[in-house]
Amino acid sequence: MISTPRQLKWDIRFLELAAFIARWSKDPSTKVGAVIVDKDLRIVSAGFNGLPRDVQDSPDRYDDKNKKYSMIVHGELNAILFAPRSVHGCTLYTWPFAPCSVCASLIVQVGITRVVAPMCTKEPGHWIHESIERTSVTFIEAGVELVLPKVNLTMQVNSEVVNA
């Protein structure tokens, strides 16, 4: 499906919001933000990656990749879990790249029908490319539209620049 100029404008706005929310993550290596929006462009929920509620959010847990990967809750999942209502038929915006393959399965299960993420700018061979490929297959088979616009967002927020 080709996005209209109006849709692209809203897609960029919500990607900017996801990028802003990603800054709230304490993960020093990958800050992920997610925003869920309904068909009327109303924000339903938002989330960022981090350790579970009431679990000690210490730097040593983020520095040890094995600990981090076994404990962290992805931004997409946090947005789904904190949604105050059904996200069926909604659009999910993620930053800085498309959801991983595990999150993709959860996205399908809750009925999200469209996912928008910036085109991956990581070098070929980076682990994210393989994950996005698996995500793409899952979404194609489940009928979830995956939109990967080539965007170059630069935001100045509290003296910190966010680039894609």
Side-chain angles (χ1 to χ4, degrees):
M1 181 178 192
I2 298 173
S3 294
T4 65
R6 179 180 184 271
Q7 182 66 59
L8 183 58
K9 175 183 78 170
W10 282 103
D11 286 349
I12 290 170
R13 285 178 176 172
F14 289 124
L15 283 174
E16 287 174 339
L17 181 56
F20 180 80
I21 291 168
R23 293 179 57 248
W24 300 346
S25 171
K26 292 182 181 176
D27 186 337
S29 64
T30 305
K31 296 180 181 300
V32 175
V35 177
I36 300 173
V37 176
D38 70 14
K39 64 179 179 58
D40 295 318
L41 303 174
R42 293 178 299 208
I43 297 169
V44 174
S45 188
F48 56 92
N49 60 318
L51 296 178
R53 180 188 322 195
D54 298 329
V55 171
Q56 186 180 354
D57 215 0
S58 61
D60 69 299
R61 289 185 169 166
Y62 289 107
D63 293 340
D64 180 331
K65 288 203 185 288
N66 288 330
K67 271 187 202 174
K68 178 175 84 169
Y69 291 149
S70 67
M71 296 179 77
I72 202 160
V73 180
H74 292 195
E76 301 92 333
L77 180 55
N78 269 327
I80 290 167
L81 290 171
F82 290 119
R85 62 181 176 89
S86 171
V87 294
H88 193 271
C90 287
T91 296
L92 171 69
Y93 294 87
T94 63
W95 186 270
F97 34 65
C100 73
S101 56
V102 173
C103 285
S105 296
L106 298 169
I107 290 162
V108 169
Q109 286 298 90
V110 297
I112 289 173
T113 55
R114 185 169 182 264
V115 175
V116 181
M119 181 77 69
C120 185
T121 58
K122 298 288 185 185
E123 66 281 349
H126 190 273
W127 64 266
I128 192 64
H129 292 286
E130 185 177 323
S131 181
I132 291 172
E133 181 61 34
R134 288 191 304 268
T135 292
S136 297
V137 170
T138 300
F139 285 168
I140 288 167
E141 291 181 15
V144 174
E145 180 185 5
L146 178 60
V147 180
L148 300 170
K150 208 171 198 179
V151 293
N152 185 15
L153 303 180
T154 302
M155 299 186 310
Q156 187 76 35
V157 185
N158 292 342
S159 304
E160 203 175 305
V161 177
V162 178
N163 285 314

